[in-house]
Amino acid sequence: MSGPREPAIVATGLCKSFGETMVLDGVDVTVDEGAIFALLGPNGAGKTTIVRILTTLIEADAGDVRVAGNDLRSDPDGVRAAIGVTGQFSALDDLLTGGENLQLMADLNRLSRVAGRRRVAELLERFDLVDAARRAASTYSGGMRRRLDLAMTLVGSPQVIFLDEPTTGLDPRSRRTMWDAIRELAAGGVTILLTTQYLDEADELADRIAVLDHGRIVAEGTADELKRRIPGGHVRLQFPEPDALRSAAGLLDAASADEERLELQVPSDASVASLRRLLEQLDAADIEVAQLSIHTPDLDDVFFAVTGHPAGEATPVP
């Protein structure tokens, strides 16, 4: 029987300075195989620096990294062979057609002529670019360019993909299309490290999320775990008549009532156990509830709580 699989990405103690500015200060990142890991942070927090280190584009000042089982320091070529990268800005050659851009990547990956043409055809079909394959990339819309960017990343069938703010500037429909492509990759066993400033993107896609601020990971967990760390969660109860509202308000000391709406807001961590206890209390007191809804803090609340400023605001340079 084989043992547990090694995580696809393991980085420990990453440090990086540019001049006197410390950009990364002892960052640890672990990403399981086939998982989507989102790295959140304001502009200047160090997200792109982490991606550039993990993809061998720059060297860390300190720290150890293994990607797809390859040690970054002793085997950078092994890391490069296992990864694909889609950066913040398009890597397309606008003078080439979409098909020619993909064929160029097939040649760079040393695929045979037959294998290269097959792979190009597969990716054009997969990303709905067949009709645009013979058009110059300069004529593509923003969403088409990002899809072609991602298709080019996949030519070499990488085990691990780094997506650095892949949906920046896209319209909502194009963002959804990219999200579907990312989910499909992860479902196929590809590991994805995603950097983003869009909190809804991390909430929608990521198995785990880390928040980076001032060069350090200040929070990490699943989206639900992070939300539960922040106070403000509550259950909202609506009652069929005023007497039921008053009885519930007297029973639940910490609750706040809205008599006009016949609603009661009860602090809660939204766990199943706390919800069960609340319903049992109401049932034992024979209090009828017309409607119940659960409200938890969102990732905007988490981000503000752990960084001290809203998402999208830049990290001040020391």
Side-chain angles (χ1 to χ4, degrees):
M1 179 182 295
S2 60
R5 294 183 299 176
E6 180 180 3
I9 302 171
V10 181
T12 56
L14 285 185
C15 295
K16 182 66 180 178
S17 296
F18 294 104
E20 296 183 356
T21 302
M22 175 71 78
V23 179
L24 300 178
D25 187 12
V27 171
D28 298 335
V29 173
T30 300
V31 184
D32 292 334
E33 286 186 6
I36 301 176
F37 185 95
L39 192 59
L40 298 179
N43 290 327
K47 302 187 303 295
T48 296
T49 300
I50 289 178
V51 170
R52 294 176 70 194
I53 289 172
L54 297 181
T55 57
T56 78
L57 295 176
I58 61 174
E59 292 185 1
D61 298 331
D64 297 304
V65 175
R66 292 185 67 82
V67 178
N70 305 290
D71 185 83
L72 183 64
R73 188 177 291 110
S74 63
D75 188 14
D77 288 339
V79 172
R80 295 183 192 110
I83 67 173
V85 184
T86 297
Q88 291 184 33
F89 305 103
S90 173
L92 309 183
D93 186 328
D94 283 338
L95 299 179
L96 300 180
T97 66
E100 288 168 345
N101 269 284
L102 285 170
Q103 188 60 56
L104 175 61
M105 291 303 297
D107 294 340
L108 291 173
N109 279 274
R110 298 180 180 180
L111 299 183
S112 69
R113 180 172 298 183
V114 172
R117 287 177 178 172
R118 184 185 304 119
R119 186 63 173 152
V120 168
E122 289 172 355
L123 291 168
L124 288 171
E125 178 72 29
R126 181 174 182 177
F127 288 93
D128 195 22
L129 293 170
V130 173
D131 292 341
R134 296 187 178 184
R135 284 171 40 195
S138 60
T139 68
Y140 283 20
S141 67
M144 292 170 67
R145 292 175 70 85
R146 293 311 274 167
R147 297 205 310 272
L148 181 56
D149 249 339
L150 184 53
M152 290 170 64
T153 300
L154 296 177
V155 168
S157 301
Q159 300 168 247
V160 180
I161 294 178
F162 296 89
L163 301 177
D164 193 10
E165 302 195 14
T167 64
T168 297
L170 295 187
D171 61 80
R173 181 177 178 181
S174 296
R175 288 182 71 208
R176 290 282 176 180
T177 300
M178 283 293 291
W179 289 0
D180 289 342
I182 291 168
R183 289 190 188 99
E184 183 181 333
L185 288 170
V190 178
T191 303
I192 296 171
L193 189 148
L194 166 77
T195 75
T196 182
Q197 294 184 63
Y198 299 130
L199 304 187
D200 61 332
E201 186 161 89
D203 206 353
E204 282 277 344
L205 296 176
D207 299 298
R208 290 188 68 78
I209 298 168
V211 182
L212 185 72
D213 192 39
H214 291 95
R216 292 178 177 270
I217 300 292
V218 293
E220 184 176 346
T222 67
D224 287 342
E225 287 170 349
L226 292 176
K227 292 171 189 176
R228 284 198 293 267
R229 292 175 50 176
I230 308 303
H234 62 273
V235 173
R236 186 170 296 155
L237 304 170
Q238 188 172 55
F239 297 88
E241 42 85 22
D243 285 344
L245 171 66
R246 285 191 285 272
S247 296
L251 177 69
L252 306 168
D253 294 335
S256 57
D258 183 333
E259 295 189 5
E260 183 176 342
R261 297 183 180 222
L262 296 179
E263 288 183 351
L264 199 64
Q265 184 170 302
V266 184
S268 170
D269 63 3
S271 67
V272 172
S274 65
L275 184 59
R276 184 184 295 115
R277 286 193 299 271
L278 173 61
L279 294 176
E280 287 173 349
Q281 280 184 280
L282 294 169
D283 188 56
D286 200 23
I287 299 173
E288 182 182 354
V289 178
Q291 288 186 329
L292 178 150
S293 56
I294 300 172
H295 300 263
T296 59
D298 59 22
L299 284 182
D300 288 278
D301 300 315
V302 173
F303 195 97
F304 185 81
V306 301
T307 68
H309 44 79
E313 184 176 300
T315 295
V317 176

